[in-house]
Amino acid sequence: IKQELNEHNLKGIVFEEKKKRLYPNGTFASHTVGLAQYPTQEEDSGTKQLVGVMGLESSFNDLLTGTNGERSYQKDSLGYLVPRLENYETEPQAGDDLYLTFDHKLQVHLESILNIVQEENSPKAVTATVINPKNGEIIASAQRPSFNATTLENIDASWQNLLTEYTFEPGSTMKVITLAAAIQEGVFNPNKYFETGTIRIHGEAVRDHNNSGWGWVSYLEGLSRSSNVLMVELIEAMGHDVWKEYLDAFGFGQATGVSLPYEQNGNNPYGSMIQKVNTGFGQGISVTPIQMLQAFTAIANEGQMMKQKFLNKTIDKENGEENVFETEIDNNKIYDYIKELDYN
């Protein structure tokens, strides 16, 4: 349309050029990569700078944002430069480049998988993330609903990043954490037998998912059947205080500090006796997906829980200087705690 108007040389029609962030991959980890836009007319401060409003674009807005150049001079009514008056010019400075940890092929594949899930099951929401537990790098992350960052199609479906801003009861996935703690404490004997079905804690019943259970089975079989009763027995054997220390050491109830805005803490009230034992099978506690990923890095990495990261490095566009983001172990949590247990 602009080209057609230009061809007519219409008087009074002018065009203002402005820069725009390009997202060539469209729907590609959109909530995590984020979005940069110009402020609305009401919010415009007059700088006409792109501003990160979501995801890493928001977290690293200051780093990504360059400085506009400026040229100042005076001219007469005919448009000629007025001589002997002070003129000055300031060169613009580019923002830094950010290099992410994402694997392009894996990310595209993950997006295609979630498209199939969306089409076949119509979930209200779904999120999936691939992480390297050895160094904490997020190599793919997608969710539905999502949006096309280029066309902004479906942008209003959800502004929430499910990876860090959504909390939920983890359910039986928490049993992996319970089992790890029980093994470390020496209370998981695969050949020991227990009665499945129902167990009572201070007068309140905890039941297996099929209510009647499977009779007397070994701890190993109880684990394979995802027995809630087994998890309660393990917590009772460890002690409630010890189990709470493990939950804290794994980072539940506190933000991971990953470089994304609006990360939620989750919640672990750990109040009544029944609530305490219910956490062993993922009830009475809320977590974020990023917290579960962090905890599982400790399981997959010999007790070393890795800080998760999205950035490999930044490069200063002015001098080419690189700032590399090193792999970090979350030293203040599970690894130190387990080492202290081993020592004791």
Side-chain angles (χ1 to χ4, degrees), residues 3 9 58 77 80 96 99-100 113 131 148 164 182 201 248 255:
Q3 289 175 346
N9 295 318
S58 174
S77 59
Y80 294 106
D96 290 356
Y99 288 78
L100 307 186
I113 290 174
I131 184 173
N148 186 310
T164 55
I201 301 296
D248 292 342

Side-chain angles (χ1 to χ4, degrees), residues 24-184:
N25 296 308
T27 303
F28 186 92
S30 298
H31 286 80
T32 297
V33 172
L35 191 66
Q37 296 178 321
Y38 285 95
T40 62
Q41 187 174 359
E42 293 78 12
E43 297 170 337
D44 195 347
S45 62
T47 60
K48 296 184 179 179
Q49 288 273 27
L50 284 169
V51 176
V53 296
M54 182 191 297
L56 297 171
E57 288 273 23
S58 174
S59 296
F60 293 93
N61 182 71
D62 292 343
L63 203 63
L64 289 164
T65 301
T67 303
N68 286 336
E70 185 177 359
R71 183 182 296 120
S72 174
Y73 58 90
Q74 295 189 39
K75 59 184 180 180
D76 60 23
S77 59
L78 297 178
Y80 294 106
L81 193 67
V82 177
R84 294 186 300 277
L85 292 181
E86 184 178 354
N87 307 302
Y88 66 89
E89 182 175 341
T90 303
E91 292 293 327
Q93 291 185 332
D96 290 356
D97 287 337
L98 269 61
Y99 288 78
L100 307 186
T101 58
F102 287 103
D103 181 291
H104 183 272
K105 291 182 179 179
L106 280 175
Q107 181 63 40
V108 171
H109 183 54
L110 187 60
E111 296 285 0
S112 67
I113 290 174
L114 290 200
N115 284 339
I116 296 172
V117 172
Q118 182 74 32
E119 182 178 344
E120 294 182 351
N121 302 284
S122 301
K124 291 182 178 179
V126 57
T127 181
T129 298
V130 182
I131 184 173
N132 183 343
K134 300 300 181 182
N135 58 20
E137 290 184 355
I138 303 292
I139 54 180
S141 185
Q143 70 175 62
R144 296 294 180 273
S146 187
F147 64 94
N148 186 310
T150 299
T151 64
L152 299 187
E153 179 185 359
N154 213 34
I155 183 66
D156 291 329
S158 175
W159 283 73
Q160 184 185 48
N161 189 331
L162 299 178
L163 180 61
T164 55
E165 300 173 42
Y166 174 70
T167 60
F168 65 102
E169 285 191 340
S172 290
T173 56
M174 182 63 80
K175 292 174 182 176
V176 176
I177 308 300
T178 311
L179 178 64
I183 291 173
Q184 184 65 36

Side-chain angles (χ1 to χ4, degrees), residues 273-289:
M273 291 297 179
I274 193 69
Q275 188 178 50
K276 292 176 180 179
V277 297
N278 282 353
T279 58
F281 49 91
Q283 296 182 15
I285 183 174
S286 68
V287 302
T288 61

Side-chain angles (χ1 to χ4, degrees), residues 189-335:
N189 180 350
N191 299 315
K192 183 178 179 179
Y193 275 70
F194 74 105
E195 186 175 10
T196 60
T198 303
I199 187 171
R200 291 195 168 273
I201 301 296
H202 290 263
E204 297 190 64
V206 175
R207 295 182 174 84
D208 284 318
H209 58 82
N210 66 347
N211 289 332
S212 59
W214 308 272
W216 285 82
V217 300
S218 68
Y219 274 17
L220 189 60
E221 182 177 348
L223 177 63
S224 70
R225 296 185 181 277
S226 191
S227 170
N228 294 339
V229 172
L230 172 61
M231 298 301 123
V232 174
E233 287 216 359
L234 294 178
I235 290 174
E236 291 293 292
M238 281 188 282
H240 297 167
D241 292 342
V242 170
W243 171 233
K244 178 60 164 58
E245 289 175 350
Y246 272 101
L247 288 173
D248 292 342
F250 273 107
F252 297 113
Q254 51 193 301
T256 65
V258 72
S259 51
L260 286 172
Y262 315 120
E263 183 185 1
Q264 298 298 303
N265 293 325
N267 190 29
N268 183 22
Y270 213 69
S272 66
M273 291 297 179
I274 193 69
Q275 188 178 50
K276 292 176 180 179
V277 297
N278 282 353
T279 58
F281 49 91
Q283 296 182 15
I285 183 174
S286 68
V287 302
T288 61
I290 198 81
Q291 287 174 332
M292 291 300 290
L293 283 168
Q294 177 175 265
F296 270 67
T297 63
I299 305 298
N301 198 33
E302 299 179 356
Q304 291 185 324
M305 189 161 67
M306 309 306 295
K307 285 184 177 293
Q308 292 156 85
K309 63 176 184 175
F310 296 94
L311 297 184
N312 271 327
K313 62 181 179 180
T314 63
I315 296 183
D316 190 311
K317 291 296 288 289
E318 298 299 319
N319 57 29
E321 182 179 336
E322 291 190 4
N323 177 30
V324 178
F325 290 78
E326 302 291 345
T327 297
E328 294 184 63
I329 301 173
D330 205 332
N331 289 317
N332 296 326
K333 294 179 181 175
I334 191 66
Y335 186 60

